[in-house]
């Protein structure tokens, strides 16, 4: 059913947006750490809050692509 697929895609996007905003607000705790360590801390932070692995990876890729042009 197409409406169910659209609904699920919307939920994934909403989860991604919430996770991204949460990390952007909390990014101060990452200052001074190398990118690999920052990525691991972001992953743990979001996983402990119940975000899916796919969402966590998307957030990390988005943040590092936007900020540094690299993907940890």
């Amino acid at each position: 059913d197409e409406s169910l697929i659209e609904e699920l895609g919307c939920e994934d996007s909403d989860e991604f947006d919430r996770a991204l905003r949460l990390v952007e607000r909390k990014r101060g705790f990452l200052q001074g750490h190398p990118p690999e360590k920052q990525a691991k801390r972001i992953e743990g932070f979001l996983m402990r809050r119940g975000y899916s692995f796919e969402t966590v990876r998307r957030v990390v890729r988005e943040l590092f692509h936007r900020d540094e042009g690299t993907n940890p």
Side-chain angles (χ1 to χ4, degrees), residues 4-72:
L4 179 59
I5 292 170
E6 288 175 11
E7 230 176 90
L8 291 174
C10 183
E11 287 176 18
D12 286 346
S13 179
D14 290 344
E15 181 177 287
F16 171 76
D17 292 338
R18 283 192 313 270
L20 187 60
R21 283 192 310 267
L22 179 62
V23 171
E24 287 173 337
R25 286 194 317 254
K26 300 285 187 180
R27 255 186 109 195
F29 74 97
L30 299 172
Q31 297 301 324
H33 295 288
E36 296 82 17
K37 189 167 190 172
Q38 289 182 22
K40 291 292 182 191
R41 287 190 176 201
I42 290 169
E43 290 168 356
F45 177 76
L46 292 174
M47 294 294 281
R48 285 189 300 275
R49 281 154 183 79
Y51 288 96
S52 70
F53 178 76
E54 287 183 22
T55 298
V56 171
R57 291 305 304 159
R58 282 182 60 202
V59 167
V60 169
R61 280 194 305 263
E62 172 68 21
L63 288 171
F64 285 90
H65 177 72
R66 181 182 346 148
D67 290 350
E68 301 166 6
T70 61
N71 288 327

